[in-house]
Amino acid sequence: MALSAQQIPRWFSSVKLSSFITATQLRKRFQRPGKTLSHRFFAQPQLSSDDCFLRCGFKTYKTSSLWNRSQTTSSNSQEISSVQSTLLPAVNARSQKTQKIPSFDSEPSEEGLDDLPPLSPLQPVSEEEAVQIIADPPLPPSSFTLRDYVDHSETLQKLVLLGVDLSKIEKHPDAANLLLRLDFEKDIKQILLFLKDLGIEDNQLGTFFTKNYAIFSEDLENLKTRVAYLQSKNFSKADIAQMVRNAPFLLSFSVERLDNRLGFFQKELELSVKKTRDLVIRLPRLLTGSLEPVKENMKVYRLELGFKHNEIQHMITKIPKMLTANKRKLTETFDYVHNVMRVPHHIIVKFPQVFNTRLFKVKERHLFLTYLGRAQYDPAKPNYISLDKLVSMPDEIFCEEMAKASVQDFEKFLKTL
């Protein structure tokens, strides 16, 4: 096998070094005391190491031939005979070694190949070798979707297996950039185990991370501190797990903010510690959402709807969503129930579920009862219809127990509206 272009300089250097050693050893043998022949053969300028391969190697061959001819000539002097008898074996041996110069077509040894430098990335390759090269498709420099990165990111692949909806996360550029920089083992696994220990089920993790992807940027010790704070306020582990499931951003708020929120509801609503705790357990979004709707609704109940403070306390502890309900929906529902159905405040306070029901449903059933002459909402009179049953019962029970009619009659009546 012929030597490659990279192997030739290394082989060439090794051959020059071998020739230099050969010439040096030969010179020492001729320069022994009493040998005048060495002065005659080597009384020349000293050769450099770069010339040893060509000139010293050539002299070695010439010397060997000279003494071979001297061996067959009987008229040689005694001095040459002496040199022949003492130096011929060494010279012949050295000549044999010198003649073993490898050609450029000889195959290099395995030891020489081990020392060769690695191939340069700029070295050209053949078409056959190029076809065998398998390269991964490059990542796009920018993209509007995380789908282009899923095949290249182990983190994104495992998040998908957990049930995370990347199509929702990718709508937030900061979220996409965050996830692509995260390492699953270092940045996500510890958060995952923490939530599982808290009580979040496996089938709930995907929904949780889809809503609160920012939790991956939180420090684990801070998360533990916030849980410890809630436990110090007598929230049980099951309560905290329920709150975190229903309000995924809860643990992203500092202890100071959580404490301020609890203090606000206790002071603004004048609730006891236990009722305040029960309120936020049932609606943990009160701790994470804006306080402006809460403040606005409190004014609406007092100033526009005319409820007393203790009546407001009673209603919101039974239906916490009344604190964050739409103002327009509250006023329209109250106006219809109080002014059209003639239900007084104290009865509405007992059945605040009416504010949590769609108004068209209340209207349909009230009009049907009015058509049948059974729209009677005073508990002190016969054929009393409670607001609770009016808004909560399915159509079959409503028609059978309260309207005393069939479902078909109710459906026919709705077509006339």
Side-chain angles (χ1 to χ4, degrees), residues 281-317:
I281 289 175
R282 296 179 61 187
L283 191 64
R285 288 181 297 171
L286 293 174
L287 298 177
T288 61
S290 174
L291 292 179
E292 293 304 318
V294 176
K295 296 177 181 179
E296 185 67 22
N297 287 347
M298 292 296 294
K299 293 179 181 180
V300 170
Y301 293 133
R302 288 196 305 264
L303 303 178
E304 298 185 24
L305 307 184
F307 289 101
K308 299 178 182 178
H309 186 73
N310 61 334
E311 292 175 337
I312 298 174
Q313 285 180 328
H314 178 77
M315 288 190 296
I316 64 175
T317 53

Side-chain angles (χ1 to χ4, degrees), residues 135-141 148-149 152:
D136 295 330
L139 284 172
D148 297 331
Y149 301 93
H152 305 272

Side-chain angles (χ1 to χ4, degrees), residues 136-153 156 170 176-177 180-181:
D136 295 330
L139 284 172
S142 61
S143 177
F144 293 101
T145 176
L146 286 172
R147 180 178 56 188
D148 297 331
Y149 301 93
V150 172
D151 293 338
H152 305 272
S153 174
L156 293 182
E170 67 188 12
N177 292 332
L180 289 174
R181 288 178 171 84

Side-chain angles (χ1 to χ4, degrees), residues 16 20 67 75-76 96 100 115 137 151 155 162 165-166 235 253 256 320 348 356 358 370 414:
K16 290 195 294 182
F20 175 74
W67 280 317
S75 61
N76 290 339
Q96 294 175 1
K100 296 180 180 180
D115 296 334
D151 293 338
T155 297
L162 288 174
D165 190 348
L166 297 181
F235 289 93
F253 291 96
E256 291 77 9
I348 296 177
N356 203 29
R358 294 181 179 180
T370 302
L414 294 179

Side-chain angles (χ1 to χ4, degrees), residues 68-199:
N68 286 334
R69 289 195 302 269
S70 300
Q71 200 172 20
T72 58
T73 305
S74 57
S75 61
N76 290 339
S77 63
Q78 184 66 28
E79 181 182 16
I80 295 178
S81 300
S82 175
V83 171
Q84 184 181 21
S85 62
T86 56
L87 298 182
L88 185 57
V91 173
N92 285 335
R94 190 59 60 187
S95 297
Q96 294 175 1
K97 291 183 180 181
T98 307
Q99 290 174 356
K100 296 180 180 180
I101 299 176
S103 67
F104 287 101
D105 295 332
S106 62
E107 185 174 359
S109 64
E110 294 184 359
E111 296 181 357
L113 291 177
D114 293 339
D115 296 334
L116 293 177
L119 295 177
S120 171
L122 300 179
Q123 182 175 353
V125 295
S126 63
E127 293 184 1
E128 292 77 7
E129 294 174 338
V131 172
Q132 298 177 359
I133 298 176
I134 301 176
D136 295 330
L139 284 172
S142 61
S143 177
F144 293 101
T145 176
L146 286 172
R147 180 178 56 188
D148 297 331
Y149 301 93
V150 172
D151 293 338
H152 305 272
S153 174
E154 181 184 3
T155 297
L156 293 182
Q157 294 172 9
K158 291 186 177 181
L159 289 177
V160 170
L161 293 177
L162 288 174
V164 178
D165 190 348
L166 297 181
S167 64
K168 295 182 179 180
I169 295 181
E170 67 188 12
K171 296 178 181 179
H172 309 277
D174 57 332
N177 292 332
L178 171 65
L179 295 183
L180 289 174
R181 288 178 171 84
L182 293 178
D183 182 85
F184 188 86
E185 294 294 329
K186 297 180 181 179
D187 305 317
I188 296 180
K189 186 176 181 179
Q190 56 182 355
I191 304 294
L192 183 66
L193 296 176
F194 167 76
L195 292 174
K196 287 178 62 66
D197 183 67
L198 191 62

